Amino acid sequence: MDDDRKLTVRAVERALDILLCFTRDSDLSLTEIAASISLHKSTVHRLLTTLEDRGFITRNPATEKYRLGIRVWELSTHLPVSENPGTLLLPAMERLRDRLGETVSLYLRDGFERVRIQAVQSNQAIRRVAQIGARLPLTVGASSKVLAAYAPPEVQQELLEGEDWPPAIDRKRYADQLKEVLHAGYATSFEEREPGAAAVAVPVIGRSGEIAAALSLSGPVNRLARETLVEYAGVLKEAAAEMGLMVP
């Protein structure tokens, strides 16, 4: 590969890294983006200017912060429905939200993280707000345990033996929890990741017989006691069974 081509590829990689910064936050400053991808601010500014000219990034003059532009949305609208469970399963998620009154989310596993690809917010005044695109580790939370429990054995082993394992979480206890999830068909979390929040999650098994996503319901602990989470697990299982018929 010649030098000009290397420079072009590097510029593309850096531009993509900038776009990926917005999977964690919706509004970012130049300094925050530069720090996140470990590049000099002058380099990041040049790339941001190009992305802004093409409509992939927009800048708020009042705050000097950047956010994703309309072009990103236009691209997402052309993703085939059959390959986008977040779009395909949205009506069923809305029905589940209306039935139980809490926030409903859908997650996919990406390596050793889970990504929220769809969310339907609770209509209650005090509610669990779920941001689409958020990435969370597989080591904590109801949806994480579901995705890890139904992952291939080699993925589980690599996860459990990883050097980045959080010291506060006991590996053996976590491995035992994954076995419990497979046996019960659901996972719960009670203030595991956030104080005051509780959740229950189940796998959505596609027509192929493999897990297609994790379906979760979350809300404040004063409405989702441990007994309530177990009760709602049965409702989520029913909804997930119907959803599984709609995905490959």
Side-chain angles (χ1 to χ4, degrees):
M1 184 181 295
D2 57 40
D3 290 343
D4 288 342
R5 188 178 176 188
K6 286 181 181 179
L7 289 173
T8 300
V9 171
R10 188 176 301 132
V12 172
E13 291 174 342
R14 289 172 172 176
L16 292 173
D17 286 340
I18 289 175
L19 292 175
L20 289 172
C21 287
F22 293 92
T23 61
R24 297 181 291 274
D25 292 285
S26 58
D27 293 88
L28 294 167
S29 68
L30 171 62
T31 300
E32 290 169 331
I33 296 171
S36 178
I37 61 177
S38 301
L39 282 179
H40 196 278
K41 286 197 290 186
S42 61
T43 302
V44 173
H45 184 264
R46 288 196 298 271
L47 292 167
L48 283 169
T49 300
T50 300
L51 289 169
E52 188 177 4
D53 289 343
R54 295 299 182 95
F56 288 94
I57 292 289
T58 184
R59 184 176 64 88
N60 185 335
T63 63
E64 293 295 324
K65 288 199 171 187
Y66 297 85
R67 62 169 44 195
L68 293 177
I70 193 69
R71 287 292 184 185
V72 175
W73 177 82
E74 289 176 341
L75 285 175
S76 68
T77 62
H78 293 285
L79 183 65
V81 172
S82 61
E83 298 177 16
N84 185 358
T87 300
L88 192 64
L89 302 180
L90 180 58
M93 293 174 65
E94 291 174 336
R95 290 193 296 270
L96 185 62
R97 184 272 314 276
D98 294 341
R99 179 177 178 182
L100 298 180
E102 302 294 350
T103 296
V104 177
S105 299
L106 197 69
Y107 293 90
L108 296 182
R109 180 178 66 83
D110 184 17
F112 300 128
E113 294 181 311
R114 58 177 160 122
V115 183
R116 186 183 292 119
I117 63 166
Q118 187 60 276
V120 181
Q121 311 294 345
S122 167
N123 291 324
Q124 303 200 53
I126 299 175
R127 62 193 180 197
R128 174 81 164 73
V129 177
Q131 181 183 358
I132 296 175
R135 285 179 171 269
L136 301 164
L138 278 188
T139 50
V140 64
S143 295
S144 290
K145 286 181 279 191
V146 165
L147 291 170
Y150 286 83
E154 60 272 18
V155 173
Q156 288 187 18
Q157 182 177 356
E158 191 174 352
L159 171 66
L160 288 164
E161 296 177 355
E163 295 180 356
D164 296 330
W165 187 267
I169 300 174
D170 183 81
R171 296 181 195 246
K172 185 180 184 305
R173 174 57 185 147
Y174 183 84
D176 290 341
Q177 286 180 332
L178 298 188
K179 294 176 183 177
E180 294 169 5
V181 171
L182 284 175
H183 176 73
Y186 68 91
T188 62
S189 64
F190 200 82
E191 296 190 302
E192 283 186 15
R193 196 175 64 82
E194 293 180 24
V200 56
V202 301
V204 176
I205 306 299
R207 297 191 301 273
S208 65
E210 298 180 352
I211 184 171
L215 174 70
S216 82
L217 179 136
S218 59
V221 295
N222 64 329
R223 290 201 303 263
L224 294 179
R226 296 182 191 275
E227 305 79 37
T228 306
L229 293 177
V230 175
E231 176 186 345
Y232 284 178
V235 181
L236 261 69
K237 283 183 179 180
E238 294 176 6
E242 296 178 3
M243 293 178 181
L245 300 175
M246 294 185 276
V247 294

